[in-house]
Amino acid sequence: MRLGLRKADLLASLVVFLVALPLCVGVAVASGVPAELGLVTGIVGGLVAGALPGSSLQVSGPAAGLTVLVYEAVRAYGLEVLGVVVFAAGVVQVGLGALRLGRWFRAVSVAVVQGMLAGIGIVLVAGQVYALGDVSAPASALGMVGGLVSLPGDADPVALAVGGATIAVLLLWRRWAWGTRLVPGPLVAVVLAAGVTWGFDLDVRRVEVRGLLAAVRVPEAADFGRLAEVGVIGTVVAFALIASAESLFSAAAVDRLHQGARTDYDRELMAQGVGNAVCGVLGALPMTAVIVRSAANIGAGARTKVSRVLHGVWLLGFAVVVPGVLGVIPVAALAGLLVYAGCRLVPVREAGVLWRGHRGEVVVLVVTAGAIVLGNLIAGVVAGLALAVGKVAWEISHVHVEVGEPGDGRDGGDADGGGDGVVVVRVVGHATFLRLPKLLDALEALPRGREVRLELGGLRHVDHACAAALEGWVAGRGRGPGVDQGAGAGGNGGGGSGG
């Protein structure tokens, strides 16, 4: 039995290696760094993060979801600062895990995460479409989207054909279930593109190869001084939070794919942090847990963490023994691979499901994605989180004003109370500033010539703004009972429809 498990893990590691190889190179090229740095991150993801406890079947490496952020960081601060940022982000992740905050990432609104992935996917596709035609992309995300109009006239038709053929192979290969189980689609597409480019000696831009050791750059002491800059600190926080959220959401998805041990979120977060700290020391790309590689690992029959560690060994062997093979890969083919990956980041199907049941969540998703495209990743995530919190606050702030006679047994009545006696006003629900206008409108509509008894026992929560407004309303009527705020905060939560 033990031998069978070892064989299953060995075969799974080879499948994950074949999936990870083109993706590591493609993510690095799209991020504006040497291709070898993507392999370094994949190697560390296997040998370091893969050996640590957390999620036994989840595979880590460079992810398309961080491509946009890495590209912006390299452009703004230079390649020499990338290692410092990644190292610091890893330290932050280790700290978050040590403080047992990993599980709290699951509290982030799914709509915000999907909006983040959608925005990243749109920007990634917009940028890589230029690489499909061997054309330099504009600096800003908005410029990328706007420049697509003039792109066809500037694109190299040969490179565009290579990239387009790569996408076509990816789309067709996924329809062949037997072939997909045998050989991963990304590897087939990139190998075919490289073979055709080399065989016909096509004049297209290819991946530049410098060698693994030449690409690695250990940060110097002076580089760490850049951590005092506000912009660099913001980038570190963005790297840490986004990489953590992507990894832990991936872990939740991976747990649904197998029946083995569940993920320890805090340990997994620390494992990701240690891996990123090592990547930072080597000047490589940041890592996250990647659902594509993880699903391939599980689908290939992996049973233990041995498979993900071995995939790092195979990546290391490839980078050391045959690095020159990378030099025959056309950049347009990698761009096609990332256009395909970027499109899959846009949750079209999930958005349709949300629209049928929770339309407010779709608004959060669209605003998050739109803010990323129009601004940047940090602005999009902050906008999405703020809107999600505001939406929840609005939804739970239901307050209902019931008007009736003493002992009439009714939930409500006409504004005039139906006579000349006491009018009983019951306020039910959550009285917050968001519903204050409605509350005051209902109270001010009461007749001035009647005595009013204000009952707040049905309030489950009263904030300061509403308490002050109620006291002011009572004082303004000139007579009647004071406002019992204690009853309002701890009442029995009587019935009534929300407003």
Side-chain angles (χ1 to χ4, degrees), residues 56-344:
S56 60
L57 299 181
Q58 186 164 248
V59 182
S60 301
L66 284 175
T67 300
V68 176
L69 190 57
V70 173
Y71 180 83
E72 292 178 352
V74 171
R75 189 185 66 195
Y77 307 112
L79 184 58
E80 64 276 6
V81 181
L82 177 62
V84 173
V85 172
V86 175
F87 174 81
V91 172
V92 171
Q93 287 182 295
V94 171
L96 293 174
L99 293 173
R100 303 186 63 81
L101 297 177
R103 67 195 69 184
W104 288 99
F105 280 89
R106 292 179 291 175
V108 177
S109 168
V110 174
V112 174
V113 176
Q114 291 177 338
M116 178 188 74
L117 294 176
I120 291 171
I122 293 170
V123 175
L124 180 61
V125 170
Q128 292 305 303
V129 164
Y130 290 89
L132 279 176
D134 275 351
V135 177
S136 297
S140 67
L142 192 57
M144 291 178 189
V145 177
L148 294 177
V149 178
S150 60
L151 179 61
D154 300 330
D156 178 2
V158 177
L160 199 59
V162 171
T166 302
I167 297 174
V169 171
L170 288 167
L171 291 173
L172 293 174
W173 194 261
R174 64 179 297 188
R175 295 177 177 272
W176 188 22
W178 182 82
T180 302
R181 290 194 297 269
L182 185 64
V183 184
L187 182 69
V188 174
V190 172
V191 168
L192 285 177
V196 170
T197 301
W198 177 78
F200 290 94
D201 194 22
L202 300 180
D203 185 19
V204 295
R205 187 160 60 98
R206 295 171 184 165
V207 175
E208 298 180 6
V209 180
R210 297 191 301 172
L212 200 63
L213 293 179
V216 170
R217 182 188 183 278
V218 178
E220 300 175 357
D223 296 329
F224 285 92
R226 301 291 299 274
L227 289 174
E229 299 178 16
V230 175
V232 175
I233 294 174
T235 303
V236 168
V237 173
F239 269 47
L241 295 183
I242 294 173
S244 300
E246 188 168 342
S247 295
L248 297 183
F249 274 97
S250 173
V254 167
D255 283 347
R256 292 194 292 268
L257 297 177
H258 68 93
Q259 301 300 319
R262 305 292 93 177
T263 298
D264 184 318
Y265 286 89
D266 297 314
R267 287 186 174 184
E268 178 63 19
L269 186 55
M270 294 180 71
Q272 294 294 322
V274 172
N276 273 320
V278 174
C279 286
V281 170
L282 298 175
L285 293 172
M287 74 166 59
T288 72
V290 188
I291 187 62
V292 174
R293 278 163 250 185
S294 303
N297 188 39
I298 295 170
R303 296 292 182 270
T304 69
K305 68 174 65 177
V306 172
S307 61
R308 63 185 190 178
V309 174
L310 282 178
H311 115 275
V313 174
W314 309 141
L315 285 174
L316 177 61
F318 175 87
V320 171
V321 178
V322 286
V325 173
L326 299 177
V328 303
I329 300 176
V331 172
L334 295 178
L337 177 62
L338 289 172
V339 166
Y340 175 78
C343 289
R344 298 190 69 180

